[in-house]
């Protein structure tokens, strides 16, 4: 059975305060995705990307929204117990009682922060990013999902042969419908990770693995929300083939987030949702290495897509 390596496994509903490792450390090109809710009664919360899991570790990036008469967001770093100079903005992107999605994109310049799809601030590196290997969250926020995305997985050799191949940059909040070119085309062990939400009133949506030159759909994954069904099929040579509908779980409910990973194997696609195996789809299009695009369409909101 495929189990995502720790570096790609989301953390759900962590108890706050939370401290957890970033396997292999941070590198440019990686991102940290956090989804949660701001309580009505909140003073402040913080997120630290730090150089170790112990208290007193150096902090490469300190992020602290503070709710008072002068609402602001503070950014800083801490080395050898000494805080650096604060950077702050007074454009508070969080609202009490509301859900949020936050992404910290690590690039060569620093930490680029977006909240609910809007750029907030870039904090330049003060500590070499390669030293950063842990995430700490404290304060009053309610966190539902934490995921470290991208950068490969240097711990992979310790895990064995079940590694997914992840070689693309994550795409955050793409509009739907959306077509994505698969980096390098489809291959064995290549995995696509999709984080999204089924909006209220949704009817159906689909994820199509396609051969761009012919329009053939090698794998059509079609959650039908109102019917509570998950249809799988293929469209080859101008016609649909036999539908498959049996599933072990149905995670696609109105108003619910989902984390999906779809992995290509020699014989089949394996689909996992929220850490559980949902279904397999055996290859009907034998030259699956000709699959070069993924198409997202229908009633779904996408937080990010990552190959």
């Amino acid at each position: 059975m495929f189990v995502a390596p720790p570096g790609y496994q989301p953390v759900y509903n962590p108890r706050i305060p939370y401290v957890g490792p970033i396997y292999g450390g941070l590198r440019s090109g990686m991102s940290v995705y956090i989804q949660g809710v701001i309580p009505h009664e909140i003073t402040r919360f913080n997120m630290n990307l730090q150089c170790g899991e112990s208290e007193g570790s150096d902090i490469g990036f300190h992020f602290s929204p503070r709710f008072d008469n002068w609402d602001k967001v503070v950014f800083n770093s801490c080395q050898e117990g000494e805080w650096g100079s604060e950077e702050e903005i007074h454009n508070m992107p969080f609202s009490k009682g509301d859900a949020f999605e936050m992404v910290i994109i690590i690039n060569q310049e620093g930490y680029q922060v977006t909240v609910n799809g809007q750029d907030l601030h870039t904090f330049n590196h003060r500590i070499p990013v390669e030293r950063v290997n842990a995430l700490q969250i404290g304060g009053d926020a309610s966190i539902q999902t934490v995921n470290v995305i991208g950068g490969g997985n240097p711990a992979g050799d310790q895990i064995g042969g079940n590694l997914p191949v992840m070689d693309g940059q994550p795409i955050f909040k793409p509009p739907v419908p959306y077509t994505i070119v698969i980096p390098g085309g489809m291959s064995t062990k290549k995995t696509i990770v999709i984080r999204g939400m089924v909006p209220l009133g949704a009817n159906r949506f689909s994820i199509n693995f396609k051969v761009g030159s012919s329009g053939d759909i090698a794998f059509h994954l079609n959650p039908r929300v109102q019917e509570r069904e998950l249809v799988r099929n293929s469209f080859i040579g101008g016609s649909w083939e036999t539908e498959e509908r049996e599933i072990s779980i149905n995670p696609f409910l109105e108003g619910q987030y989902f984390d999906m990973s779809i992995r290509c194997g020699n014989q089949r696609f394996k689909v996992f949702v929220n850490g559980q195996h949902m279904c397999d789809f055996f290859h009907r299009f034998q030259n699956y290495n000709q699959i070069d695009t993924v198409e997202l369409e229908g009633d779904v909101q996408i937080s990010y897509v990552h190959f």
Side-chain angles (χ1 to χ4, degrees):
M1 185 180 79
F2 167 64
V3 177
Y8 297 112
Q9 187 65 45
V11 176
Y12 298 109
N13 301 309
R15 180 175 295 180
I16 306 299
Y18 165 83
V19 180
I22 297 172
Y23 293 92
L26 279 186
R27 291 173 302 289
S28 180
M30 296 176 68
S31 304
V32 180
Y33 171 90
I34 300 169
Q35 185 253 328
V37 176
I38 302 297
H40 286 283
E41 301 297 328
I42 186 173
T43 303
R44 64 176 61 182
F45 71 98
N46 70 270
M47 302 177 190
N48 294 326
L49 290 169
Q50 55 191 46
C51 309
E53 298 178 56
S54 60
E55 189 172 349
S57 296
D58 285 355
I59 299 171
F61 176 59
H62 170 74
F63 173 87
S64 178
R66 301 176 184 180
F67 298 80
D68 51 32
N69 293 330
W70 304 95
D71 288 0
K72 63 182 178 181
V73 182
V74 171
F75 306 83
N76 210 337
S77 62
C78 184
Q79 298 186 65
E80 299 180 357
E82 298 289 333
W83 287 99
S85 57
E86 285 189 349
E87 300 175 16
E88 61 182 54
I89 61 173
H90 292 271
N91 177 24
M92 175 61 73
F94 303 96
S95 299
K96 294 181 179 180
D98 287 351
F100 69 88
E101 289 184 308
M102 172 179 167
V103 181
I104 306 169
I105 301 171
I106 295 86
N107 55 40
Q108 292 184 343
E109 291 75 33
Y111 301 90
Q112 179 185 344
V113 182
T114 67
V115 178
N116 298 329
Q118 301 297 315
D119 284 335
L120 181 66
H121 184 67
T122 296
F123 181 82
N124 290 335
H125 293 301
R126 299 177 182 177
I127 293 175
V129 69
E130 294 79 11
R131 291 185 55 207
V132 176
N133 58 13
L135 171 67
Q136 186 268 342
I137 305 174
D140 303 325
S142 173
I143 305 300
Q144 296 171 350
T145 307
V146 176
N147 199 6
V148 178
I149 308 169
N153 185 24
D157 292 341
Q158 304 169 20
I159 298 171
N162 281 333
L163 289 179
V165 176
M166 311 288 282
D167 52 13
Q169 291 296 314
I171 302 163
F172 294 103
K173 285 195 172 294
V176 178
Y178 192 75
T179 299
I180 309 159
V181 175
I182 300 173
M186 186 55 71
S187 60
T188 302
K189 295 185 181 178
K190 181 155 285 189
T191 298
I192 178 174
V193 175
I194 302 172
R195 164 78 174 178
M197 187 188 74
V198 181
L200 296 176
N203 183 24
R204 61 178 63 181
F205 66 95
S206 61
I207 302 167
N208 296 319
F209 289 77
K210 299 182 71 173
V211 179
S213 59
S214 66
D216 286 345
I217 302 174
F219 180 29
H220 170 72
L221 185 66
N222 177 212
R224 299 180 180 179
V225 181
Q226 301 300 325
E227 302 167 37
R228 293 181 176 253
E229 291 185 331
L230 180 70
V231 173
R232 287 92 66 200
N233 208 340
S234 55
F235 181 84
I236 300 175
S239 61
W240 288 103
E241 302 196 333
T242 305
E243 289 185 347
E244 299 177 12
R245 293 174 179 256
E246 300 76 17
I247 52 173
S248 57
I249 56 172
N250 181 13
F252 301 108
L253 305 175
E254 292 181 73
Q256 298 296 308
Y257 281 91
F258 62 85
D259 282 293
M260 176 188 296
S261 65
I262 304 172
R263 185 197 192 194
C264 181
N266 284 324
Q267 298 180 323
R268 58 195 166 184
F269 289 96
K270 296 183 73 69
V271 183
F272 291 77
V273 181
N274 301 337
Q276 293 182 277
H277 177 250
M278 185 174 68
C279 64
D280 292 346
F281 186 80
F282 283 85
H283 293 308
R284 300 174 181 178
F285 193 92
Q286 297 307 316
N287 296 322
Y288 59 82
N289 57 348
Q290 295 181 17
I291 300 169
D292 55 10
T293 57
V294 173
E295 181 180 73
L296 306 171
E297 57 185 7
D299 304 325
V300 65
Q301 297 173 5
I302 302 299
S303 298
Y304 63 77
V305 178
H306 182 218
F307 282 95

